DNA sequence: CTCCGGCCATGATCTGGATCAAAGATCGGT
DNA sequence: ACCGATCTTTGATCCAGATCATGGCCGGAG
């Protein structure tokens, strides 16, 4: 049995196409940050009692950020837990000389900012414009003590992330550039699927540099590998940062070196 | 405040020197597996109530394995949670063609075998002779439901592992061979310190091949880098798989590329 | 004691991906 | 519509670490 069936919102996608103040009206319809956030968070916390939901809604606040905004930096006091309502967030660690490793991309429904320490262990920065729910850490902890079911859900999410982290270690330590890129595309496709979006022309909102820092490569190698995959008819690059996967099974094989 | 202050046993070290049936008597004194396990686990679960401890002790079973034994394989049904009592365990994932990534080395006090799925996501194999506590998954879950404090402790441990996993991703994706080896030695030293052992001539129980598969290198590169560090007087190799660190601060700088 | 099978070290060579360099795209701003 | 800044692609070259190959070491079995 899988304790982590945590339900992503099946509602209309309020994400991605928020390209600043475009002339045409937002096709997805503008949702008021607060209501969107509440809906999202409550969906994530499905299976909770009415009382728990009410109390959760009580403590959450909402914020919006443009693309490229640092939500918090590594080492800052960790006093807030975040949940992504719309958009994409990247979290990364740096070496003193500036080398960067992105440890994850966060999509709507994902939490971040949880820390076992007094301070954040990584930096969080927006990739696209995002809206976020903020949960003050103290009040969140109190709530967790009060409602074991929420604690359990958070634990499941952490376990899930741990499994994903192990997959990523295998990728970083042992896969070739081509396998890394294919794995990455598979991941994006699978995440889209779990969130109830169409999985094939998959949306890739992040830059080549971000992909490189996520996969332990350089932008040049990422770019070359994409064109290589395009040339060998495994994928095709569509406009609007979309990638069309020709054969999902081929891609999966390539991702595992088969 | 750090919710994960989970106390490692301060008792005598029952680990490491168990090199089969040696002629001389075990200097650390042979502890009966069962009692050792109970002590260890109870220490890990410090701050629990007497009732909780009693119930925990009730469900645990103990086992011993020789070096090189597979405790469970990736994909097998995940029905047991393990806690290391003595010895070292490695957990790893494989690619179809045999490439291997070790995602962690587990020391006394560490748990493994937790799964969000029906099956284990990785293989667990002993590095040295080990003794383990087994917790049947069903009964453990029931216990967690009953005692939120235990749930909380497990959550803290998962969060900690997650932070470690992120460090490891930075290492695998962005560090050079020398930085990787230095980071690895620092890690071993710090873990020894937290467990109340002497941190300097640090014990390295695993083979070059295991180190290579943990750091995303080859055995040759690991070997070469060790001799290089030895030549430049950063470390010296002692007998009995011990490594003497000449200057801890130097090593720390080398680990971060400073 | 010697033999054998893992490990470990070290040398020689090769190569995937990094680095260096320089055109095209794309996009926001005026 | 034009311009500069940023991102992406592509080419040429380099090099850290992989691969291939060999010999030494240690520990257990006969």
């Amino acid at each position: 049995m899988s304790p982590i069936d945590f339900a992503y919102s099946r509602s209309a996608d309020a994400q991605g196409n928020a390209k600043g103040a475009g002339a045409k009206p937002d096709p997805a319809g503008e949702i008021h940050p607060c209501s969107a956030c509440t809906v999202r968070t409550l969906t994530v916390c499905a299976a909770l009692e009415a009382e728990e939901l009410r109390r959760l809604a009580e403590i959450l606040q909402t914020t919006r950020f443009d693309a490229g905004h640092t939500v918090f930096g590594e080492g800052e006091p960790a006093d807030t837990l975040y949940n992504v309502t719309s958009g994409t967030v990247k979290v990364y660690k740096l070496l003193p000389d500036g080398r960067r490793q992105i440890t994850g991309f966060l999509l709507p429904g994902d939490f971040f900012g949880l820390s076992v320490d007094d301070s954040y262990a990584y930096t969080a920065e927006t990739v696209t414009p995002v809206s976020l729910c903020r949960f003050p850490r103290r009040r969140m902890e109190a709530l967790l003590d009060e409602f074991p079911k929420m604690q359990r859900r958070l634990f499941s999410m952490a376990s899930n992330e741990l499994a994903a982290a192990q997959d990523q270690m295998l990728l970083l330590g042992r896969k070739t550039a081509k396998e890394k890129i294919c794995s990455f595309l598979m991941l994006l496709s699978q995440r889209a699927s779990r969130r109830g979006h169409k999985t094939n022309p998959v949306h890739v909102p992040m830059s080549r540099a971000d992909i490189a820092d996520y996969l332990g490569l350089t932008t040049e190698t990422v770019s070359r590998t994409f064109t290589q995959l395009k040339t060998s008819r495994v994928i095709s690059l569509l406009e609007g940062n979309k990638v069309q996967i020709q054969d999902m099974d081929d891609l999966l094989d390539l991702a595992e070196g088969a």
Side-chain angles (χ1 to χ4, degrees), chain A:
Chain A
M1 49 114 255
S2 165
I4 21 68
D5 50 342
F6 84 94
Y8 286 102
S9 166
R10 285 151 232 76
S11 65
D13 183 19
Q15 180 218 3
N17 46 20
K19 284 225 178 122
K24 61 185 177 194
D26 186 342
E30 191 58 64
I31 299 174
H32 185 277
C34 181
S35 77
C37 175
T38 308
V39 167
R40 180 76 65 182
T41 306
L42 299 193
T43 318
V44 166
C45 300
L48 296 182
E49 301 302 324
E51 167 68 2
E52 292 161 90
L53 291 181
R54 201 184 59 70
R55 296 286 294 281
L56 245 192
E58 209 171 271
I59 70 167
L60 65 80
Q61 306 154 11
T62 68
T63 1
R64 292 211 120 188
F65 292 118
D66 284 340
H69 179 269
T70 299
V71 181
F72 57 75
E74 185 174 345
E76 291 179 10
D79 48 16
T80 308
L81 174 67
Y82 295 85
N83 181 261
V84 181
T85 303
S86 75
T88 303
V89 173
K90 64 189 173 199
V91 297
Y92 59 85
K93 294 177 78 91
L94 293 170
L95 286 172
D97 64 3
R99 278 172 288 171
R100 186 175 71 148
Q101 179 65 43
I102 293 182
T103 56
F105 290 109
L106 304 169
L107 301 179
D110 293 337
F111 282 89
F112 65 100
L114 200 67
S115 175
V116 288
D117 207 339
D118 275 326
S119 54
Y120 295 115
Y122 48 79
T123 302
E125 191 178 322
T126 61
V127 173
T128 64
V130 301
S131 44
L132 300 174
C133 293
R134 300 165 48 101
F135 301 90
R137 177 168 168 162
R138 294 280 169 201
R139 304 180 67 177
M140 197 64 195
E141 279 172 354
L143 217 54
L144 287 182
D145 279 342
E146 201 173 338
F147 299 112
K149 208 180 278 178
M150 278 177 57
Q151 174 103 18
R152 177 156 197 144
R153 191 159 274 271
L154 222 53
F155 176 61
S156 295
M157 288 170 53
S159 302
N160 250 8
E161 266 190 76
L162 208 45
Q166 286 162 355
D167 284 340
Q168 190 68 1
M169 286 189 233
L170 177 63
L171 179 147
L172 290 169
R174 291 303 182 204
K175 290 189 182 177
T176 65
K178 192 197 267 193
E179 288 161 4
K180 285 176 177 182
I181 295 286
C182 292
S183 299
F184 179 63
L185 291 174
M186 283 304 301
L187 179 72
L188 287 185
S189 176
Q190 284 164 355
R191 285 181 80 168
S193 147
R194 253 186 304 168
R195 309 185 64 253
H197 297 166
K198 66 180 176 339
T199 64
N200 202 339
V202 63
H203 184 222
V204 184
M206 59 291 284
S207 69
R208 295 287 181 264
D210 282 347
I211 298 173
D213 282 345
Y214 181 63
L215 300 177
L217 299 170
T218 58
T219 56
E220 292 94 330
T221 300
V222 170
S223 189
R224 271 187 251 273
T225 307
F226 265 114
T227 46
Q228 187 185 329
L229 289 173
K230 194 175 56 176
T231 305
S232 53
R233 312 278 171 199
V234 179
I235 60 171
S236 36
L237 303 181
L238 274 47
E239 67 163 26
N241 296 322
K242 292 228 173 3
V243 175
Q244 170 88 36
I245 298 166
Q246 290 315 332
D247 186 330
M248 206 62 96
D249 294 336
D250 278 1
L251 194 69
L252 190 57
D253 287 346
L254 286 173
E256 304 259 297

